[in-house]
Amino acid sequence: MTLKVYASLLLLFSVNSVWTRTVRQVYDDLDPEHWSHYTSECPRECFCPPSFPNALYCDNKGLKEIPPIPARIWYLYLQNNLIETVSEKPFVNATHLRWINLNKNKITNSGIESGVLSKLKRLLYLFLEDNELEEVPAPLPVGLEQLRLARNKISRIPEGVFSNLENLTMLDLHQNSLLDSALQSDTFQGLDNLMQLNIAKNSLKKMPLSIPANTLQLFLDNNSIEVIPENYFSTIPKVTFLRLNYNKLSDDGIPPNGFNVSSILDLQLSHNQLTKIPPINAHLEHLHLDHNRIKSVNGTQICPVSIAIAEDYGFYGNTPRLRYLRLDGNEIQPPIPLDIMICFRLLQAVVI
C-alpha cells in the first residue's frame, strides 16, 4: 500500500521533468533549417527559444492582452502581466496547447469569453493563480490534469463545473474566500482520479463534504474547522497526507478514533487547541502536534499497540511505524518518557 501511494505521488510531482523531456524530444527531432520559420512566427512581444520550439514565453512583458498564439505551441507562459481578458481570437490556431500559465494577471470571470477554455481540447495544465476570479471558471477543458486557482477571490463553485474532469489529479483552491456553503455534497462529483485537493486558507468551519474517494493529499490548513465528523475518513480510504494546521480543533471535536486510519502516513495538527494526543494508527509515520496545549505525554496511552507487544523485538506485523514526532510549542517538559521510545522503536526524530 505504502509503495503504491508513494509511486502515485512521485507521478504527481514529477510533472516538470516529464514535460521537459517531452520538449527536448521535440527539439531533437527538429530540422535546424526550420528555426528561422519558427522565429518569424513568434509574437514580437514574446520570446521563442530555438531550443524549445513548442514553448512561447510572454511572461513579465507588461502585456494587457494575449498575443496570437502560433499553432506549434504546447507550452504558453503569460504570467506576471496585466492581462484582463481571455478571448477566443488569440487561440484560433493554438490547437495543440497543453500548458497555460496565466498566474499574476488581472483576470476576472467576466473577462473570460464564454467557452474559450473548453475549446482548448488538449489542455492539461491551467494555472490562474493570483488573479481576480470570484468563482471557478466554467466550462473547463475535459482533459485537464491540473487546475491551480490559488490566491483569487473565489467564493462560489458553479454546479457541475468539475463533473466531466475525470482526468484531474490536482485541484488547488487555497487562499480564496470559500465558505462551507460553497462546498455542497456534489461539488467534487466527477473528480474520480483526483489525488491532491488543497482548500487551505479559506473560511471553512466544517470538514468539506464528499471528498473524492481517490484523494491522497488533503490540505485544510488555516481555516476555522472545529469538528471532525464520525467516520469522516471512511469515504476517502486512500488519504495519505492530511494537513489541518492552524484550525480550531479541540479534544471534544475529534471522535475517539477519528485519526486512527490505516491509510494516513503524515498527519499535521499543529496550531490547534488539543490538550492530548489523539489515538493514532500503527501505520502513521509523521505526526505534527506542535503549538497546541498538550501538557504531558503518556506513551502507554497513545501507543497504537500494547506496550507488551511493542517490547517484543521479534514482533513486526503491528510495530508502530512512527518516525517523526513534533511536540514543541506545548507545555511538555523533557525528558521524553521511556514508554514513548519503547512503543515507537522506529522514531528517528522527536522535537519537544
Side-chain angles (χ1 to χ4, degrees):
M1 170 63 181
T2 303
L3 290 176
K4 290 181 180 179
V5 168
Y6 281 125
S8 298
L9 293 175
L10 180 60
L11 175 64
L12 180 63
F13 291 113
S14 61
V15 171
N16 289 337
S17 60
V18 170
W19 282 116
T20 300
R21 288 196 299 272
T22 304
V23 172
R24 176 56 62 182
Q25 289 166 2
V26 172
Y27 164 57
D28 290 341
D29 294 336
L30 182 65
D31 187 340
E33 71 181 28
H34 293 150
W35 287 358
S36 61
H37 169 65
Y38 290 132
T39 303
S40 66
E41 277 191 330
C42 187
R44 61 183 179 81
E45 308 95 329
C46 307
F47 172 60
C48 299
S51 58
F52 296 98
N54 293 91
L56 179 61
Y57 291 87
C58 308
D59 51 308
N60 297 286
K61 302 295 185 181
L63 300 179
K64 294 185 177 181
E65 59 183 29
I66 300 173
I69 310 304
R72 73 176 189 276
I73 298 303
W74 287 21
Y75 312 96
L76 177 58
Y77 298 90
L78 288 161
Q79 66 270 27
N80 293 300
N81 281 295
L82 303 170
I83 296 169
E84 297 181 358
T85 60
V86 180
S87 61
E88 183 177 347
K89 185 177 179 180
F91 299 103
V92 169
N93 296 318
T95 57
H96 296 282
L97 277 174
R98 266 68 165 176
W99 177 302
I100 298 178
N101 189 334
L102 277 161
N103 292 345
K104 295 187 177 179
N105 278 283
K106 297 181 179 297
I107 299 168
T108 61
N109 288 94
S110 61
I112 301 177
E113 186 175 333
S114 178
V116 62
L117 296 176
S118 62
K119 291 178 181 178
L120 301 172
K121 302 296 186 182
R122 300 188 183 186
L123 195 66
L124 301 178
Y125 301 86
L126 177 58
F127 301 165
L128 280 164
E129 298 178 342
D130 295 285
N131 277 281
E132 298 178 12
L133 299 173
E134 295 184 352
E135 62 180 54
V136 175
L140 291 162
V142 296
L144 271 187
E145 294 182 6
Q146 287 193 19
L147 177 59
R148 303 190 186 216
L149 299 169
R151 295 178 299 276
N152 276 276
K153 303 174 183 177
I154 296 173
S155 61
R156 181 174 176 272
I157 301 178
E159 184 177 356
V161 67
F162 303 128
S163 60
N164 295 319
L165 303 186
E166 61 181 22
N167 294 324
L168 200 72
T169 59
M170 175 189 286
L171 175 58
D172 191 345
L173 288 163
H174 88 269
Q175 201 165 331
N176 276 285
S177 303
L178 293 170
L179 300 170
D180 296 317
S181 57
L183 305 180
Q184 301 298 314
S185 58
D186 60 351
T187 295
F188 301 112
Q189 185 175 345
L191 298 179
D192 297 334
N193 290 295
L194 195 70
M195 296 168 62
Q196 183 186 106
L197 177 59
N198 191 341
I199 325 178
K201 293 189 177 181
N202 278 279
S203 300
L204 304 181
K205 294 183 179 180
K206 300 178 181 179
M207 295 291 284
L209 301 171
S210 301
I211 300 297
N214 285 318
T215 302
L216 298 176
Q217 299 179 321
L218 179 58
F219 303 151
L220 292 164
D221 314 75
N222 294 89
N223 280 285
S224 298
I225 297 171
E226 299 179 355
V227 176
I228 306 295
E230 191 84 32
N231 300 318
Y232 180 83
F233 299 105
S234 63
T235 59
I236 41 176
K238 298 181 181 180
V239 64
T240 305
F241 294 86
L242 177 62
R243 292 198 333 219
L244 280 159
N245 303 319
Y246 291 95
N247 276 283
K248 297 182 179 180
L249 289 171
S250 64
D251 301 328
D252 294 336
I254 300 176
N257 284 296
F259 295 119
N260 187 0
V261 179
S262 61
S263 66
I264 298 178
L265 303 182
D266 190 297
L267 176 58
Q268 299 190 20
L269 297 169
S270 305
H271 294 271
N272 277 280
Q273 300 171 12
L274 302 175
T275 65
K276 59 185 179 182
I277 298 177
I280 59 175
N281 192 272
H283 291 88
L284 187 67
E285 296 182 3
H286 296 85
L287 179 58
H288 298 246
L289 285 165
D290 55 286
H291 299 90
N292 276 275
R293 301 174 181 175
I294 301 170
K295 295 183 179 180
S296 62
V297 181
N298 187 315
T300 302
Q301 291 179 353
I302 69 170
C303 191
V305 300
S306 72
I307 290 293
I309 292 177
E311 285 184 296
D312 184 357
Y313 281 96
F315 185 87
Y316 182 76
N318 287 325
T319 298
R321 301 178 187 176
L322 194 68
R323 289 171 166 78
Y324 180 88
L325 176 60
R326 184 170 176 182
L327 291 166
D328 55 305
N330 285 284
E331 300 177 34
I332 303 168
Q333 299 297 321
I336 300 167
L338 179 61
D339 51 4
I340 292 284
M341 308 311 295
I342 292 174
C343 174
F344 301 109
R345 293 183 176 272
L346 298 180
L347 264 177
Q348 298 175 356
V350 180
V351 183
I352 194 169

